[in-house]
Amino acid sequence: MSKVDMKSPAGLLHSLVCRITEKKEDDVSPQFQYALRVLGSHFTPSVESDEFQLAERIKRKLVKQRREGDAARFAELHRKLQSNNVVKNRWAILYLLYNLSHGPDRPGIKITAGEALFGQGLPTDATSTPFQHVPGMPGPLRTPMPGGDTTGSSGISSIHTADRSDPTPTPQSFPASYGPTPGITPAQSLSQRQALGNRLALSLSSRQQLSQPHLGNGDMSVATVPSGRATASLSLRPGADNTSFELSEAALLRDVLFVFQGINGKIIKMSSTADRFLIDPKVGVPQSWRDLLGKLSELGWLHNKIRKFVDSKISDRALGLVGQSFCAALQHELTEYYRLVAVLDAQVQQDQDLGVSVGSGGGLTLRRLVVWSYEPLQRLKTLACLVDSCKGKKGGALASVVHSYMQTGDPSLRSLVKHTLNVVSQPIWEIMEQWIYEGDLEDNYQEYFVASDPTVKEDRLWHDKYSLRKSMIPAFITREQADKILLIGKTINFIRQVCQDRSPLKTKAVVKSGEAEEEGDLFTRDVDGSLQQVIDTAYRETSRILLDILHTKYKFMDHLKAMRRYLLLGQGDFIRHLMDLLEPDLNKPASTLYLHNLTGILETAIRATNAQFDDPDILKRIDVRLLEVSPGDCGWDVFSLDYHVDGPISTVFTPETKIQYLRVFNFLWRAKRMEYTLTEIWKDQMTIHKLLLKTVPELASLLHRCHTLSSEMVHFINQMQYYITFEVLECSWDELWKKVKESPDLDHVIASHQVFLDAIIQHCLLDDESRELLTQLRTIFDLIIKFQSAENTMYKKAEEEMNLRLRFLRRIQENTEKGKWGVTELDEEEENTRMEEFRDKFLSKTTSQLRVISQSYQDMVQNFLLMLNEHSDPSLRFLSFRLDFNGHYHQREPKLNRSLSVSYARTRQRSGKDP
Amino acid sequence: MPREIITLQLGQCGNQIGMEFWKQLCMEHGISPEGILEDYATEGTDRKDVFFYQADDEHYIPRSVLLDLEPRVINTILNSPYANLYNPENIYMSTHGGGAGNNWASGYAQGEKVQEEVFDIIDREADGSDSLEGFVICHSIAGGTGSGMGSYMVEKLNDRFPKKLIQTYSVFPNQDEISDVVVQPYNSLLTLKRLTQNADCVVVLDNTALNRIAVDRLHIQNPSFSQINSLVSTIMSTSTTTLRYPGYMNNDLIGLIASLIPTPRLHFLMTGYTPLTTDQKAASVRKTTVLDVMRRLLQPKNMMVSTDRIRHINHCFISILNIIQGEVDPTQVHKSLQRIRERKLAQFIPWGPASIQVALSRKSPYVQSAHRVSGLMLANHTSISSLFERCLKQYDKLRKREAFLEQFRKENMFKDNLDELDNSREVVQQLVDEYHAATRPDYISWGAQEAAEGRS
């Protein structure tokens, strides 16, 4: 192409082409030729040039975009334009502007698109079509036209083609790709906030919106208004190329839109056998379209699937709140989807209305539809998956399933799932709020992960009433959190129902004050850790309140101490005095005991000892309890102290723990009785020793034996008692006290108390493993009792003998005083035989009896020590270490020697640091 | 209140240490010198009633009987701030006020004379208690009143209250200095016989050792009586803490001493206390853990009885009770015991099981102590016999010369013969023999030999 007159339309076109392609004048000739050809082609306006209709459409569009103000302004401007006759082809201008409002406005896109268009389209056109004259298509250059028009229309054409065949509408559906353009931002944020379903629609409208300034200003393009004819012919061009398919594609589009809504179209129908939409095979549709339609119809299938689920469940009350929320979320998504379909439908309608043939300009094509529906397809797919997985699930389990779909890398899908999850977990969060702030469990559908058993009475409320429904714990709540949540509500209920404390809890205020940001939803909370924070704060607060109540109002610590003082014999003076008072009664057979007598004695003992200074509330809880009497039991075997607990305290001191306490009491009481018995023995020995030896010196050896044996027993029992005091009671108590003081909640208190009791039970030989040891110990105890009675018999006999001798001596004295012989021979002989008898029969008998007792006692103790050494509990070896501190037993028993040294080595190893 | 204990304080020494003892108890229980409970003493977990009873008003009155044959010491008490503490009816001073003249026989005889009045007091006290546990007698064995009248009282109490315990805190004379009481060996011997035969438990407070401890451990050049007596009162009060602050164990006197005394005659206990401080030197910096305390208690230098090392006899512990006070971690007790056993820090009897018993006791909240942990040891050790042997030796020396016996012959008991002295010597000798026997494994059959010897 040679020189072109710069003023002529051709010249202007040329310079326009140069401007657009940003190339030098000489280089643009192919593009220029193409532009000429396009302009020269004989367009016939397929769109009816109805100015009114067009104006209305623009207004409608503006209104739809909520730009009522602009719409009004447009109407005003349009009216002015109409009254002013300067511009002739108003319709063409409006149409141009209207179409411009669809087009991408970024210069970059425009240009690259134009280039691509030129680059692609030109060679084929250039080769297939003679340059200057297409027959039947008068070149625009020859057509006398207002100069500006041509350039204007060519501009439009390039924009339009770019828009139409722009291969990148996909990014448009992703808001992110709009990022660089500032003008898009509001639309973008809008589309983000709204569900994604209408994003496509928005992106369509946003383009419109963007072109609005042009429209609003409406002035600068007036000079270059294209001729109506040119524009019309331009927009018709592609349609003219595909005449044969035009109707078909439009029909198909319509069908597809039906299918999108899950309704059978004219040629695309749901096949129940194949469970998919099929195109009527008889209808001639090109294979490529069939493929596209196949793809598109998936959307319908998915829609149906979701729809069916929603319809079937939405009225199903058994589904529960979470299920309903899920349905609502689905419904919402569907609504968004419908909006899209509506927009598409409008587009189709509009295309039809405008007479824009399918595939031209901004109109829809199947391919475009495929692209646009790509994202809704993904969304529906995800939703369909959710529907599948959530079938039959409810409550927290459902939320868990939804949560599992969060593990996708696709940000848009993730935000979809996240949204759904938010909706789904809302009821859970609401139940939880009620639960952790008020302790109310409004869970009519058993959806929450805390379950309550209404049959449980108050005394077991803490232990049994509430439990975790493991299946209902949403996946985004950890087990620990769930446990804590359970604990929080349980604590509140405990405070309310068991502690009878109705004062308002300020947990919520505390939680809220600690948490500045506004209430997010459950799931978001989980992500940023504020859920944990809420739980922790509520947990701390409620637990603190409960412990406060327990400590102040219910004096928990005092009860704990009372347990130790009375049931674990810590109040030594009281126990001792009680034994003093009870002894005569308890020596009787168990069946002759009367509870009221014993209770009276208990009262006396309390009043007489330091127990009297205790809290009256505690004292009135102490009671006597008689265990089940088996034949042959004496009072000692069945007597037991009891401590009544009620209210919140009984949650810690449950009947089970009380049984444990009773067992420990029984053991300690027996040991104490031995201590008591032995001091009695000792006292008797002291008295008798002073009394008897003067007159019955031959008893010395026997008594000495008794003394050494009893001192052995005293040692045994005392060491046993010291072991119980230090290794068992004191240590465990120290631990318990420390733990209880530090306990953050009632569960910890209960647990530490249980640990305390278990430790005592175990170390006091009361567990199963130590049964044999305990039996052995009981035998030793029995032997001590036997020893006492043997000794008492001996004392009685010896005292008799003493008295006889004393009487004899007195008689001698009396007789002497009377001046008679002190004794007759007969008397003396009698006295001597009696003494002989006492010595030979009684003494030897008692001595041998004592030897038997002594021997069996020592055997027993040695056995006991052996058993202790073989016991697995290391602390019991401490006992054996104490019992044989100076190695007395292990010198006598080689077997013991061995095992003792072994256990000793072990002990040393364990203590480690010992040099 | 059950298990009451009545205290008898006899003679100069007895009344002096008794006074210190009551001072200490008042302090620990928060009782003012007038016997009124102090305002701060509100913590009602201590048992005041073992040693005190409450009068009709708020007064706490010691279950104490003050006896002396001369008025000097008791008058001092009555002029002290503590004058109003005691029940005036419980104070008996001999009417003539001449004292016993450091003569056992005189003291014993005067005791016999005044017994009715004295036992009126004692009976009244005994009747005033729910279940009397026993008597505690404070006296010295060297002087006249404490030893002589004390001996009489021990015998008589044993007669009248055969089932009640008699525990004595007996001060033994200082062997290191020449006593101004020349008949001291006679007095001691005669008293020892009664202590052996009639008392259930004798806590030996050896002036020799007390002085030595005051000089060596407390660095007091010439320890005064009151300084020595404050040591004694510390021991007395600590040895009764488990009775006054009841716990799981050792809540009665009998339980306390039954475990210490295996056979009736071996009832002489020695004591040790650590850490020792006087008022001036309260801030001596020492580490005190349970192990430290228990280990120090086993050291002879901390014992309040001076015993001689005798080569040919392997002296040993018959029993030990450690009363530990203060902030004690119970787990430490076991470790300490283990350490002591491993290092063989204590030698025990070969004829029976024996070990260190440990009682943890609370401390009075009203008395501040510079130490975290303190401990008292009550021990039955065979080496205490050396004390008696020393007595015997000194007695033998005097007796050989028949010295200073005129004073004794004045009294009825010795008018005709000195059998009582010989008899006492025999009893004490037997005691020494038994202690020696207790160091041997065959002690278990000791009585048999004795009986056999007795018959032959």
Side-chain angles (χ1 to χ4, degrees):
Chain A
M1 187 164 193
S2 59
K3 279 248 163 138
V4 184
D5 186 4
M6 291 313 284
K7 290 281 169 67
S8 71
L12 287 169
L13 179 64
H14 188 253
S15 55
L16 180 69
V17 172
C18 290
R19 169 83 48 96
I20 290 170
T21 54
E22 287 177 346
K23 289 181 179 169
K24 287 207 182 122
E25 264 181 36
D26 296 336
D27 297 331
V28 295
S29 56
Q31 283 89 348
F32 180 60
Q33 282 176 17
Y34 181 72
L36 280 180
R37 203 157 52 86
V38 169
L39 291 173
S41 59
H42 208 75
F43 294 121
T44 40
S46 62
V47 188
E48 208 174 332
S49 50
D50 184 347
E51 196 192 338
F52 174 76
Q53 193 189 350
L54 186 57
E56 283 307 304
R57 248 163 83 181
I58 290 173
K59 273 190 257 177
R60 212 166 54 226
K61 190 160 193 170
L62 286 173
V63 170
K64 205 156 136 202
Q65 284 175 316
R66 311 198 161 224
R67 294 168 59 186
E68 288 85 354
D70 287 340
R73 192 151 161 234
F74 170 76
E76 172 72 8
L77 287 171
H78 185 237
R79 194 182 51 77
K80 276 186 188 161
L81 198 65
Q82 273 177 321
S83 61
N84 189 343
N85 271 342
V86 175
V87 184
K88 287 272 168 36
N89 35 7
R90 286 191 301 274
W91 173 85
I93 295 169
L94 284 179
Y95 187 65
L96 167 71
L97 293 174
Y98 177 66
N99 275 330
L100 273 177
S101 76
H102 291 276
D105 64 331
R106 273 189 304 172
I109 285 183
K110 205 178 347 184
I111 285 156
T112 46
E115 247 176 350
L117 169 80
F118 285 131
Q120 277 178 343
L122 197 65
T124 45
D125 283 332
T127 46
S128 66
T129 332
F131 162 50
Q132 276 193 328
H133 288 286
V134 178
M137 285 193 184
L141 289 177
R142 290 195 208 150
T143 320
M145 269 190 189
D149 282 7
T150 330
T151 39
S153 58
S154 76
I156 296 163
S157 119
S158 72
I159 290 167
H160 259 278
T161 22
D163 189 20
R164 176 185 52 113
S165 54
D166 187 351
T168 55
T170 330
Q172 291 175 358
S173 64
F174 289 105
S177 64
Y178 276 108
T181 321
I184 290 301
T185 321
Q188 186 188 352
S189 65
L190 184 75
S191 65
Q192 265 184 339
R193 218 174 314 134
Q194 295 191 359
L196 288 166
N198 59 353
R199 200 176 288 154
L200 184 55
L202 272 172
S203 65
L204 282 175
S205 61
S206 71
R207 255 175 287 160
Q208 209 169 32
Q209 190 183 345
L210 280 164
S211 61
Q212 209 65 34
H214 299 271
L215 203 81
N217 298 337
D219 48 359
M220 87 290 190
S221 55
V222 174
T224 55
V225 178
S227 72
R229 201 177 134 258
T231 320
S233 66
L234 179 78
S235 58
L236 247 167
R237 193 195 64 97
D241 283 345
N242 306 328
T243 330
S244 55
F245 297 113
E246 188 182 353
L247 278 174
S248 273
E249 187 161 9
L252 285 174
L253 276 174
R254 201 151 282 286
D255 253 20
V256 165
L257 287 183
F258 281 127
V259 168
F260 275 7
Q261 299 164 62
I263 305 165
N264 283 346
K266 276 180 195 141
I267 53 164
I268 309 172
K269 292 200 162 62
M270 181 71 196
S271 155
S272 52
T273 48
D275 191 28
R276 53 181 288 205
F277 284 95
L278 290 175
I279 309 160
D280 193 344
K282 283 174 221 147
V283 179
V285 179
Q287 188 54 45
S288 60
W289 281 7
R290 280 182 187 271
D291 291 347
L292 290 179
L293 287 171
K295 268 187 192 164
L296 288 170
S297 64
E298 190 184 353
L299 211 51
W301 184 86
L302 290 170
H303 164 268
N304 271 5
K305 187 178 176 64
I306 297 165
R307 182 80 260 168
K308 219 156 70 193
F309 177 80
V310 172
D311 289 344
S312 67
K313 297 292 179 182
I314 198 101
S315 54
D316 183 2
R317 309 217 17 112
L319 199 55
L321 295 173
V322 178
Q324 299 207 15
S325 304
F326 180 56
C327 285
L330 290 177
Q331 183 66 54
H332 180 72
E333 288 299 326
L334 283 180
T335 312
E336 292 297 339
Y337 173 72
Y338 290 146
R339 262 173 81 175
L340 168 73
V341 173
V343 168
L344 289 174
D345 189 44
Q347 187 72 27
V348 169
Q349 192 65 47
Q350 174 190 333
D351 288 353
Q352 240 171 21
D353 289 353
L354 288 176
V356 178
S357 63
V358 175
S360 74
L364 276 169
T365 62
L366 283 177
R367 198 165 285 284
R368 198 170 285 179
L369 204 55
V370 169
V371 173
W372 282 346
S373 67
Y374 172 76
E375 208 192 338
L377 181 66
Q378 294 305 315
R379 299 167 68 80
L380 287 196
K381 260 187 194 165
T382 311
L383 292 179
C385 285
L386 282 179
V387 163
D388 266 347
S389 334
C390 292
K391 235 169 225 157
K393 298 245 167 46
K394 64 172 194 173
L398 202 153
S400 296
V401 170
V402 177
H403 182 255
S404 68
Y405 280 86
M406 281 292 286
Q407 311 297 330
T408 171
D410 185 336
S412 65
L413 287 187
R414 193 156 63 212
S415 69
L416 166 74
V417 178
K418 186 171 169 180
H419 174 76
T420 314
L421 187 56
N422 278 342
V423 175
V424 163
S425 52
Q426 190 59 32
I428 299 182
W429 174 234
E430 274 163 16
I431 297 175
M432 187 162 97
E433 278 214 315
Q434 276 297 98
W435 174 246
I436 65 174
Y437 295 138
E438 303 299 335
D440 297 337
L441 193 58
E442 281 174 20
D443 182 17
N444 296 327
Y445 303 103
Q446 281 83 44
E447 299 172 289
Y448 193 45
F449 51 86
V450 175
S452 151
D453 182 355
T455 59
V456 175
K457 292 262 177 0
E458 274 180 11
D459 54 332
R460 297 292 302 169
L461 181 137
W462 186 268
H463 297 280
D464 294 339
K465 182 145 184 168
Y466 300 103
S467 56
L468 278 184
R469 269 196 209 102
K470 290 192 187 70
S471 63
M472 287 297 163
I473 303 175
F476 46 87
I477 288 181
T478 63
R479 184 62 203 272
E480 282 147 40
Q481 288 173 330
D483 281 335
K484 257 187 185 172
I485 292 169
L486 169 71
L487 194 60
I488 294 167
K490 190 164 75 171
T491 306
I492 297 174
N493 278 301
F494 189 77
I495 292 172
R496 293 276 185 261
Q497 293 172 38
V498 184
C499 299
Q500 302 289 333
D501 189 300
R502 299 274 163 205
S503 57
L505 297 168
K506 300 194 177 66
T507 331
K508 194 160 186 172
V510 172
V511 172
K512 287 278 137 66
S513 70
E515 178 199 4
E517 84 257 32
E518 76 237 60
E519 191 174 317
D521 32 42
L522 176 60
F523 178 67
T524 336
R525 281 162 182 274
D526 175 46
V527 171
D528 60 13
S530 68
L531 172 70
Q532 184 68 43
Q533 214 178 337
V534 168
I535 293 173
D536 284 348
T537 319
Y539 161 77
R540 267 199 308 275
E541 188 60 17
T542 41
S543 298
R544 189 189 58 74
I545 293 171
L546 175 58
L547 289 181
D548 275 358
I549 291 174
L550 279 186
H551 285 323
T552 52
K553 191 170 165 195
Y554 292 97
K555 298 181 185 144
F556 172 71
M557 291 303 218
D558 291 348
H559 288 293
L560 204 57
K561 279 192 220 160
M563 284 285 182
R564 183 185 181 215
R565 276 217 293 273
Y566 299 109
L567 292 189
L568 303 182
L569 316 190
Q571 186 76 37
D573 59 331
F574 162 74
I575 298 294
R576 177 84 215 204
H577 191 54
L578 187 65
M579 275 198 176
D580 276 344
L581 298 174
L582 282 174
E583 205 207 351
D585 278 314
L586 293 189
N587 281 333
K588 291 183 209 155
S591 50
T592 61
L593 290 184
Y594 292 104
L595 201 58
H596 57 267
N597 287 352
L598 302 180
T599 320
I601 290 172
L602 178 73
E603 288 295 314
T604 319
I606 289 175
R607 270 201 306 278
T609 56
N610 259 26
Q612 63 181 310
F613 301 119
D614 232 330
D615 191 333
D617 175 51
I618 282 170
L619 291 180
K620 75 166 190 260
R621 292 168 186 269
I622 306 170
D623 198 3
V624 175
R625 178 162 167 173
L626 292 179
L627 308 179
E628 216 169 295
V629 180
S630 36
D633 278 351
C634 71
W636 290 100
D637 298 320
V638 296
F639 177 83
S640 181
L641 280 184
D642 199 1
Y643 191 82
H644 294 297
V645 283
D646 51 16
I649 301 298
S650 63
T651 299
V652 183
F653 305 111
T654 55
E656 295 85 62
T657 62
K658 270 178 72 185
I659 287 169
Q660 288 184 307
Y661 267 114
L662 284 189
R663 288 182 63 201
V664 177
F665 174 86
N666 198 268
F667 174 79
L668 298 179
W669 182 252
R670 273 170 203 272
K672 203 82 197 169
R673 184 199 169 193
M674 289 306 122
E675 197 191 322
Y676 183 83
T677 308
L678 284 169
T679 55
E680 292 293 303
I681 291 176
W682 186 86
K683 202 155 108 186
D684 289 343
Q685 284 176 349
M686 282 303 191
T687 326
I688 296 289
H689 182 262
K690 291 174 200 161
L691 202 70
L692 281 183
L693 270 192
K694 280 180 216 153
T695 33
V696 197
E698 60 265 49
L699 274 175
S701 142
L702 186 63
L703 289 182
H704 186 70
R705 240 170 218 290
C706 288
H707 297 153
T708 50
L709 178 59
S710 71
S711 81
E712 223 179 306
M713 290 172 171
V714 168
H715 180 265
F716 181 88
I717 294 298
N718 270 16
Q719 291 309 319
M720 183 89 208
Q721 293 279 58
Y722 282 118
Y723 160 80
I724 292 170
T725 324
F726 293 116
E727 257 97 298
V728 184
L729 293 180
E730 290 279 353
C731 290
S732 311
W733 177 260
D734 250 27
E735 192 96 330
L736 171 68
W737 199 249
K738 228 183 292 161
K739 277 198 199 149
V740 167
K741 288 240 152 144
E742 290 165 1
S743 279
D745 59 50
L746 185 57
D747 263 348
H748 278 81
V749 172
I750 293 173
S752 342
H753 181 245
Q754 198 54 52
V755 167
F756 167 71
L757 268 182
D758 288 345
I760 291 180
I761 292 265
Q762 191 196 348
H763 295 161
C764 284
L765 309 172
L766 292 171
D767 57 349
D768 291 342
E769 204 197 338
S770 316
R771 192 160 288 159
E772 276 181 43
L773 266 175
L774 191 62
T775 321
Q776 187 74 13
L777 193 64
R778 291 264 164 87
T779 333
I780 293 174
F781 287 178
D782 288 346
L783 217 54
I784 292 174
I785 303 290
K786 206 165 142 195
F787 170 66
Q788 188 192 23
S789 66
E791 209 187 40
N792 282 343
T793 328
M794 188 257 286
Y795 286 156
K796 215 175 271 171
K797 183 81 181 151
E799 248 174 290
E800 246 169 58
E801 175 69 20
M802 181 189 74
N803 288 337
L804 285 175
R805 285 186 196 186
L806 284 179
R807 204 190 313 159
F808 182 68
L809 290 178
R810 233 182 355 258
R811 211 162 65 217
I812 295 175
Q813 208 175 353
E814 279 166 15
N815 286 347
T816 318
E817 274 166 20
K818 282 179 197 157
K820 292 185 208 160
W821 288 107
V823 279
T824 58
E825 221 165 286
L826 190 71
D827 282 347
E828 196 167 352
E829 203 176 319
E830 207 177 288
E831 179 73 12
N832 280 342
T833 33
R834 206 199 68 248
M835 277 165 73
E836 202 72 20
E837 203 178 318
F838 174 77
R839 237 174 260 146
D840 293 347
K841 284 213 178 136
F842 171 74
L843 268 190
S844 64
K845 198 187 101 202
T846 320
T847 312
S848 64
Q849 190 191 353
L850 198 71
R851 194 172 292 133
V852 170
I853 292 180
S854 155
Q855 192 55 51
S856 59
Y857 171 78
Q858 274 156 0
D859 290 348
M860 295 273 188
V861 171
Q862 271 166 25
N863 257 342
F864 184 70
L865 286 175
L866 270 175
M867 286 158 83
L868 279 182
N869 285 328
E870 279 151 20
H871 201 280
S872 62
D873 183 356
S875 75
L876 286 177
R877 290 200 211 103
F878 296 168
L879 175 60
S880 99
F881 155 84
R882 273 178 177 281
L883 289 175
D884 197 21
F885 192 77
N886 65 339
H888 174 70
Y889 292 105
H890 91 238
Q891 271 170 6
R892 298 159 56 116
E893 172 64 76
K895 250 197 290 178
L896 199 55
N897 199 355
R898 204 172 50 240
S899 60
L900 251 186
S901 55
V902 169
S903 83
Y904 198 54
R906 267 188 229 141
T907 323
R908 283 188 63 168
Q909 253 174 9
R910 205 174 26 259
S911 53
K913 275 170 278 173
D914 286 15
Chain B
M1 208 62 170
R3 305 270 164 189
E4 299 88 347
I5 291 169
I6 295 173
T7 311
L8 301 169
Q9 38 202 62
L10 290 134
Q12 179 192 343
C13 180
N15 275 303
Q16 274 169 346
I17 62 174
M19 187 172 81
E20 292 294 327
F21 173 63
W22 287 112
K23 236 190 243 177
Q24 182 74 24
L25 283 197
C26 283
M27 234 155 69
E28 291 188 8
H29 287 295
I31 293 169
S32 77
E34 281 81 36
I36 310 282
L37 205 59
E38 303 277 10
D39 295 336
Y40 55 76
T42 46
E43 196 190 315
T45 52
D46 50 349
R47 274 186 71 194
K48 304 176 187 64
D49 308 56
V50 181
F51 287 97
F52 293 90
Y53 63 91
Q54 259 182 302
D56 294 343
D57 51 5
E58 290 302 289
H59 277 77
Y60 275 95
I61 297 168
R63 299 179 195 276
S64 173
V65 180
L66 289 69
L67 305 170
D68 206 348
L69 297 175
E70 47 144 7
R72 193 167 47 90
V73 180
I74 289 183
N75 280 338
T76 322
I77 294 174
L78 292 179
N79 290 324
S80 76
Y82 288 87
N84 296 328
L85 181 69
Y86 303 95
N87 182 354
E89 294 174 0
N90 280 11
I91 299 173
Y92 178 83
M93 285 181 283
S94 178
T95 36
H96 64 82
N102 286 328
N103 185 332
W104 185 89
S106 164
Y108 190 88
Q110 288 189 53
E112 207 166 0
K113 253 179 249 162
V114 303
Q115 61 129 326
E116 244 172 73
E117 287 169 78
V118 172
F119 271 94
D120 271 353
I121 301 173
I122 294 173
D123 283 342
R124 176 164 43 75
E125 280 296 323
D127 289 344
S129 40
D130 284 350
S131 65
L132 184 66
E133 172 105 322
F135 300 93
V136 166
I137 297 172
C138 305
H139 68 136
S140 112
I141 64 162
T145 313
S147 64
M149 190 173 171
S151 294
Y152 181 79
M153 293 308 297
V154 170
E155 278 181 359
K156 209 67 195 154
L157 283 174
N158 205 0
D159 262 7
R160 296 184 69 139
F161 303 94
K163 294 236 154 188
K164 301 299 172 196
L165 284 178
I166 298 172
Q167 187 189 24
T168 70
Y169 286 88
S170 302
V171 178
F172 281 53
N174 190 344
Q175 312 283 336
D176 292 345
E177 58 187 32
I178 293 113
S179 170
D180 46 349
V181 183
V182 283
V183 290
Q184 186 183 289
Y186 295 138
N187 294 347
S188 302
L189 187 78
L190 289 162
T191 316
L192 269 180
K193 178 194 164 188
R194 272 74 192 180
L195 292 181
T196 309
Q197 289 186 330
N198 298 104
D200 293 297
C201 173
V202 175
V203 178
V204 176
L205 303 163
D206 181 8
N207 253 337
T208 323
L210 292 172
N211 270 291
R212 200 198 57 221
I213 284 169
V215 174
D216 294 351
R217 323 266 330 140
L218 299 175
H219 311 290
I220 303 166
Q221 281 310 311
N222 291 304
S224 66
F225 266 130
S226 72
Q227 279 163 330
I228 299 289
N229 286 344
S230 82
L231 280 181
V232 172
S233 71
T234 307
I235 289 163
M236 286 178 72
S237 70
T238 312
S239 64
T240 56
T241 50
T242 57
L243 317 178
R244 293 180 288 122
Y245 297 91
Y248 182 73
M249 278 192 80
N250 306 108
N251 299 308
D252 47 3
L253 193 57
I254 189 164
L256 206 64
I257 60 182
S259 61
L260 285 169
I261 296 165
T263 55
R265 268 190 299 244
L266 305 186
H267 62 242
F268 293 85
L269 304 181
M270 39 173 103
T271 55
Y273 189 85
T274 190
L276 280 169
T277 44
T278 47
D279 300 336
Q280 311 87 299
K281 277 188 61 77
S284 72
V285 182
R286 275 176 128 185
K287 194 177 143 229
T288 47
T289 64
V290 176
L291 177 62
D292 287 322
V293 166
M294 285 173 63
R295 194 163 40 197
R296 274 190 221 131
L297 285 177
L298 291 170
Q299 294 167 348
K301 61 181 180 188
N302 281 319
M303 296 300 271
M304 308 240 174
V305 171
S306 65
T307 53
D308 307 324
R309 286 250 163 256
I310 299 164
R311 292 284 147 80
H312 66 276
I313 293 175
N314 203 1
H315 280 301
C316 52
F317 283 104
I318 297 169
S319 57
I320 298 176
L321 170 67
N322 285 341
I323 298 174
I324 312 275
Q325 285 182 296
E327 304 157 37
V328 179
D329 176 2
T331 51
Q332 289 177 353
V333 175
H334 180 80
K335 280 190 191 145
S336 309
L337 285 176
Q338 230 170 352
R339 202 72 64 84
I340 286 168
R341 178 168 145 158
E342 269 167 41
R343 302 213 181 146
K344 295 197 174 2
L345 293 176
Q347 186 77 38
F348 284 99
I349 42 161
W351 46 268
S355 56
I356 300 177
Q357 310 172 60
V358 181
L360 295 189
S361 175
R362 272 179 294 161
K363 244 183 181 157
S364 163
Y366 316 125
V367 179
Q368 295 306 313
S369 162
H371 300 281
R372 265 191 341 111
V373 183
S374 59
L376 171 85
M377 174 164 81
L378 287 171
N380 199 344
H381 196 272
T382 56
S383 72
I384 200 143
S385 60
S386 68
L387 218 60
F388 312 139
E389 285 174 85
R390 211 150 55 193
C391 266
L392 286 175
K393 220 183 278 171
Q394 286 175 342
Y395 164 79
D396 287 346
K397 262 191 237 166
L398 275 189
R399 186 69 209 281
K400 221 190 279 173
R401 292 188 278 135
E402 299 267 327
F404 313 117
L405 283 170
E406 309 77 51
Q407 295 295 324
F408 283 80
R409 288 190 211 275
K410 277 183 197 162
E411 304 296 337
N412 280 337
M413 192 182 265
F414 301 96
K415 212 172 243 168
D416 306 328
N417 56 46
L418 297 172
D419 285 359
E420 180 57 33
L421 278 172
D422 298 333
N423 180 255
S424 298
R425 196 200 179 285
E426 198 185 324
V427 169
V428 176
Q429 185 60 54
Q430 275 174 3
L431 178 68
V432 171
D433 291 346
E434 186 163 355
Y435 266 112
H436 286 181
T439 63
R440 296 189 298 268
D442 60 359
Y443 176 68
I444 206 90
S445 50
W446 181 74
Q449 292 163 1
E450 197 194 41
E453 282 162 20
R455 238 182 291 174
S456 58

